[in-house]
């Protein structure tokens, strides 16, 4: 593995991921907040969280499984399985998003449901097909794709200001991105046929999907739970308090995508490399935390002056959570590649219990601040558990060879 190419790919992926995030967080979402106000903005944030939870896990799981199993398919000259699994994923996510849209809106608006299904499907498909660039480790095309995604967001935001339809932003963004991916990929041309690996691939996808859904539900449960608990205004206040921390962690987060691309070519990893990555990530995370706390008052007062003061009360807790989640995202590729995939259920299954207990108990004592603290407790638990699992499996593998 060329260190120079790894660093270059990491830079490409960080820049590529940063561009659409910055456009959304610093341009698009403030425009929505300014046009809709505090209450309606909270509702929109809830629906954005909803379609993300019901599209990203499906597409990203197929993406990662394809990356991890691609060598086996190529060595055996197999072609198929994945477009069938993609179709199944689209069907399941469409049913879930229709039900959840009805639940949160409280009435049956066919237009809203169809728009949510369209957004969810577009994002799911593009999340899978973009793996074609990861397979060949071409992060230049991933950078170009994300620039096109961001351009779609900008055009969609301009149209939103005239139409008032926030869904236009994501339909244009995801649609433009998908067109670029299809033009530069052949995965969509693969046959809708089952190979001898279909059963094994489906099992691994199902295990990882269940784990990923648990993980992503936890990532967005804050907004989805706060909406029925405290209403849309609290969603706005809470979400605003997390913005800067999430921008920083999401910008750095692409490192794990590059790591998994390179790990997919490796058979084993040295413990000192793993521990070195933990140490470097922790150092970056510490710097990121203090930077987030320092810059947040300026950013939030500029973007959301109406409720920034209330949001800043929680900035110390939400920023810490974002940094811990950043470190989790860096560790996860190692768990995926070098440990039994069933560990994903253990990690996310136990974490959801910790999440629910800590957030509900602390919420009852301290309100929104307690809810934030509960999420930090859950993230810290997951971080410690993942390191423990890797060290346990590594020691067991060493003993097996003695």
């Amino acid at each position: 593995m060329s260190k120079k190419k790894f660093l270059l790919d990491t830079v490409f992926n960080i820049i590529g991921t940063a561009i659409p995030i910055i456009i959304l967080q610093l341009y698009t979402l403030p425009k929505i907040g300014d046009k809709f106000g505090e209450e309606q903005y909270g509702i929109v944030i809830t629906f954005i969280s909803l379609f993300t939870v019901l599209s990203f896990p499906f597409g990203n799981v197929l993406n990662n499984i394809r990356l991890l199993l691609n060598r086996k398919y190529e060595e055996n000259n197999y072609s198929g399985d994945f477009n069938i699994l993609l179709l199944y994923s689209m069907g399941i996510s469409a049913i879930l998003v229709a039900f959840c849209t009805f639940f949160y809106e409280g009435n049956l608006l066919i237009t809203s449901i169809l728009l949510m299904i369209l957004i969810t499907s577009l994002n799911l498909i593009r999340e899978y097909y973009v793996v074609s660039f990861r397979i060949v480790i071409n992060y230049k095309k991933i950078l170009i794709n994300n620039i096109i995604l961001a351009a779609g967001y900008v055009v969609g935001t301009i149209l939103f200001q005239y139409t008032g339809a926030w869904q236009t932003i994501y339909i244009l963004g995801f649609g433009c991105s998908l067109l670029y991916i299809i033009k530069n990929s052949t995965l969509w041309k693969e046959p809708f046929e089952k190979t001898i690996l279909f059963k094994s691939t489906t099992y691994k996808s199902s295990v990882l999907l269940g784990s990923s859904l648990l993980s992503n539900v936890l990532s967005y449960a804050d907004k989805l739970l706060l909406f029925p608990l405290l209403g849309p205004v609290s969603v706005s206040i809470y979400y605003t308090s997390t913005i800067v921390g999430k921008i920083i962690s999401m910008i750095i987060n692409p490192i794990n995508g590059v790591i998994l691309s390179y790990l997919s070519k490796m058979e084993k990893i040295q413990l000192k490399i793993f521990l070195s990555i933990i140490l470097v990530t922790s150092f970056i995370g510490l710097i990121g935390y203090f930077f987030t706390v320092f810059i947040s008052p300026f950013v939030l007062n500029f973007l959301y002056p109406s409720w920034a003061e209330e949001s800043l009360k929680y900035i110390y807790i939400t920023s810490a959570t974002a940094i811990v989640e950043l470190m989790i995202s860096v560790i996860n590729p190692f768990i995926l590649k070098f440990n039994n995939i069933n560990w994903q259920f253990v990690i996310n299954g136990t974490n959801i219990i910790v999440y629910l207990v800590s957030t509900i108990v602390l919420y009852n004592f301290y309100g929104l601040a307690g809810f934030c603290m509960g999420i930090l407790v859950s993230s810290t638990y997951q971080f410690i558990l993942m390191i423990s699992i890797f060290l346990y499996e590594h020691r067991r593998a060493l003993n097996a060879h003695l």
Side-chain angles (χ1 to χ4, degrees), residues 98 109 127 169 172 174 194 256 325-326 333 355 401:
L109 292 176
E127 283 290 346
I169 299 164
L172 275 175
F174 296 159
K194 295 180 181 179
N256 78 351
E325 288 175 353
L326 159 66
Y355 182 98
H401 285 88

Side-chain angles (χ1 to χ4, degrees), residues 3-17:
K3 291 182 179 179
K4 182 179 179 181
K5 188 174 187 308
F6 175 80
L7 290 173
L8 190 61
D9 287 336
T10 301
V11 170
F12 280 149
N13 208 27
I14 289 175
I15 294 173
T17 304

Side-chain angles (χ1 to χ4, degrees), residues 24-37:
L24 277 179
Q25 300 292 346
L26 303 185
Y27 173 66
T28 297
L29 292 178
K31 291 289 185 185
I32 294 175
D34 184 57
K35 188 175 182 67
F36 282 162

Side-chain angles (χ1 to χ4, degrees), residues 71-143:
R71 177 181 288 182
K72 183 180 289 189
Y73 274 82
E74 288 184 344
E75 288 175 351
N76 293 280
N77 199 29
Y78 294 146
S79 182
D81 295 346
F82 286 94
N83 278 335
I84 296 175
L85 292 173
L86 178 63
L87 198 61
Y88 289 167
S89 298
M90 289 173 62
I92 295 169
S93 65
I95 293 169
L96 290 173
V97 79
F99 173 79
C100 292
T101 301
F102 171 71
F103 172 79
Y104 280 102
E105 283 205 333
N107 51 65
L108 189 61
L109 292 176
I110 300 299
T111 304
S112 296
I113 291 173
L114 290 177
L115 286 172
M116 285 290 288
I117 290 175
L118 176 60
I119 294 170
T120 304
S121 298
L122 287 172
N123 196 35
L124 194 162
I125 296 168
R126 61 177 290 275
E127 283 290 346
Y128 166 58
Y129 282 147
V130 78
V131 76
S132 58
F133 304 145
R134 296 179 69 196
I135 289 171
V136 296
I137 313 184
N138 189 337
Y139 281 89
K140 286 183 182 179
K141 285 189 175 179
I142 291 177
L143 172 60

Side-chain angles (χ1 to χ4, degrees), residues 32 39 76 104 110 114 145 158 186 204 243 263 306 343 400:
I32 294 175
E39 183 170 347
N76 293 280
Y104 280 102
I110 300 299
L114 290 177
N145 172 57
I158 293 170
T186 59
K204 290 178 180 178
I243 284 175
L263 289 180
S306 300
W343 277 117

